[in-house]
Amino acid sequence: MSTSTVAKAKGFKHSKPGLWLSIGTTAFGAIGIAKDVRKARDESDTLKLINALVGAAALITGTALLVRELRRLGDDDVLLG
């Protein structure tokens, strides 16, 4: 990969479309965590349940950070036109 390609990729990550994509992929993580919680409850496995809940907390925090970054961008994103 050339330097300009890497720079474009990093720029996309901090653009509105890039942040929306990150939020969308995080939503798929929520599906996995919900399955883990359900399985832990079915098996009455406290340790697995704690692990799933900590994962859920990390997912929520990550999503909140992405939303904050999205709000900070405001209408200044040149990719949206």
Side-chain angles (χ1 to χ4, degrees):
M1 245 185 209
S2 69
T3 306
S4 64
T5 305
V6 173
K8 286 180 185 177
K10 286 183 180 180
F12 178 75
K13 183 179 177 183
H14 296 288
S15 67
K16 279 189 178 183
L19 290 170
W20 279 112
L21 181 63
S22 295
I23 291 170
T25 57
T26 301
F28 283 108
I31 295 168
I33 288 175
K35 288 180 182 179
D36 289 345
V37 168
R38 194 173 308 119
K39 184 177 178 183
R41 283 185 177 172
D42 290 344
E43 296 174 0
S44 299
D45 190 333
T46 305
L47 192 56
K48 284 184 180 179
L49 183 59
I50 291 170
N51 185 49
L53 294 176
V54 168
L59 190 89
I60 291 167
T61 304
T63 303
L65 289 169
L66 289 168
V67 169
R68 182 178 71 182
E69 184 69 21
L70 191 61
R71 286 184 181 159
R72 284 185 179 171
L73 280 178
D75 293 328
D76 298 333
D77 193 351
V78 296
L79 293 177
L80 290 178

